[in-house]
Amino acid sequence: MTQPVKPGNAADNRMEVPRMGERSNEEIRQEEPEAYSARLHDSRVVRGLYLTVGFAALILGVVGIVLPVLPTTPFVLLAAACFARSSKRFHDKLLANRTAGPIIREWVEHRSIRRQVKRWVYLLMALSFSSSILMLTSFWHQVMLAVLGITLVAFIWRIPVRDSDPDP
């Protein structure tokens, strides 16, 4: 795995250096938490504001799960950004969440979402908006929801897509 330094060589004082591409998955996984470490703000007042906005965004994101008008993902990403500046504990909890964590890490690393996630977003939006439109009796409310749904689809469509990494 490593190339030992031969005695008498000019590089006797150097440590053994691993060859390129020979890092184990365990070494890479150990570095991941550092890549997403929170950079807390210096001011306690500003941290408190970030924390408040983060919880408000998280609550809106949770409400957005059941309401078709509120998109969940942007609010969860906003909460993650606020928690990164206000509370390492809440930021780490959000990253450890089995549903939100991978989406947040994907956004932080690649500024994109996976194709599978985007398909789920389209499906759930179509189901929630169409059922809401069918339940309304007012034509103008139906038009308003349709316009809002089309606007959200256009917003989601603009987010870059990244296919999942192929398994080795």
Side-chain angles (χ1 to χ4, degrees):
M1 280 197 196
T2 58
Q3 294 175 333
V5 177
K6 296 179 184 174
N9 198 342
D12 280 341
N13 297 333
R14 287 188 294 164
M15 294 179 59
E16 293 182 6
V17 179
R19 286 187 222 158
M20 189 171 164
E22 288 192 358
R23 292 174 46 203
S24 69
N25 287 337
E26 188 61 32
E27 291 170 335
I28 294 169
R29 271 191 228 109
Q30 287 173 353
E31 289 177 8
E32 280 183 5
E34 294 172 15
Y36 310 114
S37 65
R39 212 178 94 231
L40 301 179
H41 198 278
D42 296 332
S43 169
R44 293 187 74 166
V45 174
V46 175
R47 280 198 313 262
L49 289 173
Y50 274 125
L51 192 63
T52 303
V53 172
F55 277 118
L58 190 59
I59 289 168
L60 286 173
V62 170
V63 170
I65 293 171
V66 292
L67 289 180
V69 178
L70 291 175
T72 300
T73 304
F75 286 116
V76 172
L77 290 174
L78 176 62
C82 289
F83 289 154
R85 299 294 304 206
S86 64
S87 170
K88 182 168 174 35
R89 186 175 120 214
F90 290 121
H91 184 253
D92 290 345
K93 279 189 176 203
L94 198 54
L95 286 176
N97 182 286
R98 68 184 179 108
T99 305
I103 296 170
I104 295 168
R105 281 191 295 275
E106 181 78 21
W107 183 258
V108 168
E109 283 181 8
H110 306 287
R111 291 286 189 239
S112 65
I113 58 176
R114 288 182 298 135
R115 188 172 307 279
Q116 179 186 8
V117 171
K118 202 170 199 178
R119 286 181 182 154
W120 270 107
V121 168
Y122 286 140
L123 175 67
L124 293 175
M125 280 179 52
L127 290 174
S128 63
F129 272 96
S130 61
S131 63
S132 297
I133 288 171
L134 291 174
M135 285 190 241
L136 292 174
T137 55
S138 169
F139 173 73
W140 295 111
H141 287 123
Q142 290 174 335
V143 170
M144 180 195 67
L145 260 181
V147 168
L148 185 61
I150 291 169
T151 304
L152 284 174
V153 165
F155 174 76
I156 303 277
W157 179 73
R158 293 185 61 214
I159 298 173
V161 174
R162 192 175 85 79
D163 290 321
S164 299
D165 294 332
D167 293 331

